[in-house]
Amino acid sequence: MLNVDISNLWDGLTLQDLLAKEKDVFAAHKLLKDGKGAGNDFLGWLNLPVFEDTDEMRRIKNAARRIRENSEVFVVVGIGGSYLGPRAAIELIQGQNHNLTGKGPQIFFAGNNLSTRAWQELCALLEDKDFSINIISKSGTTTEPAIATRALKWMLERKYGAEKAKERIFVTTDPVKGALRQMATEEGYETFVIPPDVGGRFSVLSAVGLLPMAVAGLDITELMIGAAQARRDMDIFSFENPAWLYAAARNLLYANGKKIELLCCYEPSFKYMAGWWQQLFGESEGKDGKALFPATAEFTADLHSLGQLIQQGERNLFETVVRFAPTRKKTQIEMDWKNLDGLNYLEGKTLDFVEEQAFLGTLAAHTDGGVPVVLVQADEICDRTLGELFFFFELSCGISAYMLGVNPFNQPGVEFYKRNMFHLLGKPGY
């Protein structure tokens, strides 16, 4: 089971300070479980983890098999939770260079920006490739994915003809309403469901994440078992629950003047997992003038850019460090008889060993420098661990937001920039 270590938390705080938060954590978790808190019509994510395949999962696996057989490239069209979750999963399990391995279709993401350069780069990558697309949106009218959908649909129809193109377009959307649902019904695309009671940033364990993951070769059954086990293990109302410890620690630090939470990991493939976490907590908690600012860093790389600030800058942040168990396959540092680089003192040591000492040295330096550190310790990177991590952060976020006194499941502020943009673009009604 995933473990949260708060032994490096104390910067002028005491265990009694944490224990004083127990009644608040209990109340927040109970609100979530009983479905009586703000936004309680968006609690469907709590029921997504399952131990056995559902009919939807079997359809997802069948669609993924067909896509893997007939497509060199699979384009996932979506923004926010509609792309961060699947990309986080694929890169953490398959690595950042998964598109270069030749194992299954290359996976590209579109509809998450308005960059002409990025679009032209994608078009060049799709040139002379057999490809399929997955459009992910509840409404189908969000500007960025809607523009990408229109263009990719036209490219598929030009390449394969209107009827054959339909076999390469997969839609993940609301079960009954919205422009994308209407388009899918009229055109005859195969569809998968975003449950109406699941918001985008909590949707990774639905078809939103599962179809791209399955196409990439992840074992979605194992992933769901990991999430289901986490759901069972974390259904306890005490500080033995790692979600309680994490939610309480971050709220305690926020109440004591910390304004920034820096999520760190020593795995480069964690980058988009950190991005998914950033949206999850930023959009769930950032309202009513409240919330920690969720920032991310990749160690050890960013120790050479942010390390000085973390060590001696303003004492307004704390770190949450995600640690995975070492890989079973080891890489050993060899001897060089000239030793011009001076590394022979590491002869026979593994890269895991060096990384562990870098972590321990950094932990000691940052805590000595007055930076509290929360450790989230997980098993080796695999599908089950990924599922566990997804559910842990989702549950922690729901509890933490209720402790903060905000609705975790709305995002009213997002609409302001959209209204301004639509007005400037001349959209009817704006």
Side-chain angles (χ1 to χ4, degrees), residues 75 108-128 147-148 151-152 155 158:
V75 183
F108 295 121
F109 295 85
N112 52 67
N113 61 70
L114 294 169
S115 166
T116 302
R117 294 174 182 86
W119 173 251
Q120 291 173 349
E121 179 185 335
L122 176 63
C123 290
L125 290 168
L126 293 177
E127 194 74 30
D128 300 325
I147 290 173
L152 287 165
M155 290 171 65
R158 184 185 63 171

Side-chain angles (χ1 to χ4, degrees), residues 53-64:
D53 285 0
T54 62
D55 288 341
E56 181 91 335
M57 287 175 66
R58 283 186 280 272
R59 287 205 311 116
I60 286 169
K61 288 182 177 181
N62 286 333

Side-chain angles (χ1 to χ4, degrees), residues 285-297:
E285 293 191 322
K287 53 204 75 163
D288 301 339
K290 301 176 182 179
L292 287 157
F293 184 91
T296 69

Side-chain angles (χ1 to χ4, degrees), residues 70-132:
N70 70 11
S71 300
E72 299 168 272
V73 173
F74 184 59
V75 183
V76 180
V77 181
I79 197 167
S82 295
Y83 103 99
L84 284 168
R87 186 161 190 176
I90 292 166
E91 292 208 0
L92 184 63
I93 300 297
Q94 304 282 25
Q96 292 177 304
N97 299 312
H98 60 91
N99 280 336
L100 303 178
T101 64
K103 299 176 182 177
Q106 294 179 308
I107 314 289
F108 295 121
F109 295 85
N112 52 67
N113 61 70
L114 294 169
S115 166
T116 302
R117 294 174 182 86
W119 173 251
Q120 291 173 349
E121 179 185 335
L122 176 63
C123 290
L125 290 168
L126 293 177
E127 194 74 30
D128 300 325
K129 295 282 181 70
D130 285 317
F131 71 98
S132 299

Side-chain angles (χ1 to χ4, degrees), residues 27 62 91 96-97 199 212 262 267 276 311 319 339 362 381 408 411 419-420:
N62 286 333
E91 292 208 0
Q96 292 177 304
N97 299 312
L262 186 65
E267 294 293 338
W276 171 83
Q311 191 68 42
E319 291 175 2
N339 195 30
T362 303
I381 294 174
Q411 53 278 341
R419 288 203 295 267
N420 292 341

Side-chain angles (χ1 to χ4, degrees), residues 176-222:
V176 294
K177 63 183 181 180
L180 186 54
R181 168 56 62 180
Q182 181 182 352
M183 179 196 295
T185 301
E186 290 185 6
E187 299 290 343
Y189 304 145
E190 183 167 359
T191 62
F192 300 93
V193 168
I194 305 175
D197 57 355
V198 176
R201 59 187 174 275
F202 287 86
S203 66
V204 68
L205 297 176
S206 73
V208 168
L210 297 180
L211 178 58
M213 292 181 210
V215 173
L218 275 65
D219 187 334
I220 61 174
T221 299
E222 283 290 296

Side-chain angles (χ1 to χ4, degrees), residues 375-400:
L375 297 178
V376 177
Q377 298 173 320
D379 290 335
E380 186 177 354
I381 294 174
C382 66
D383 299 295
R384 282 202 184 193
T385 299
L386 175 61
E388 183 181 28
L389 206 54
F390 274 136
F391 189 81
F392 162 75
F393 277 129
E394 288 178 342
L395 181 62
S396 300
C397 183
I399 294 172
S400 181

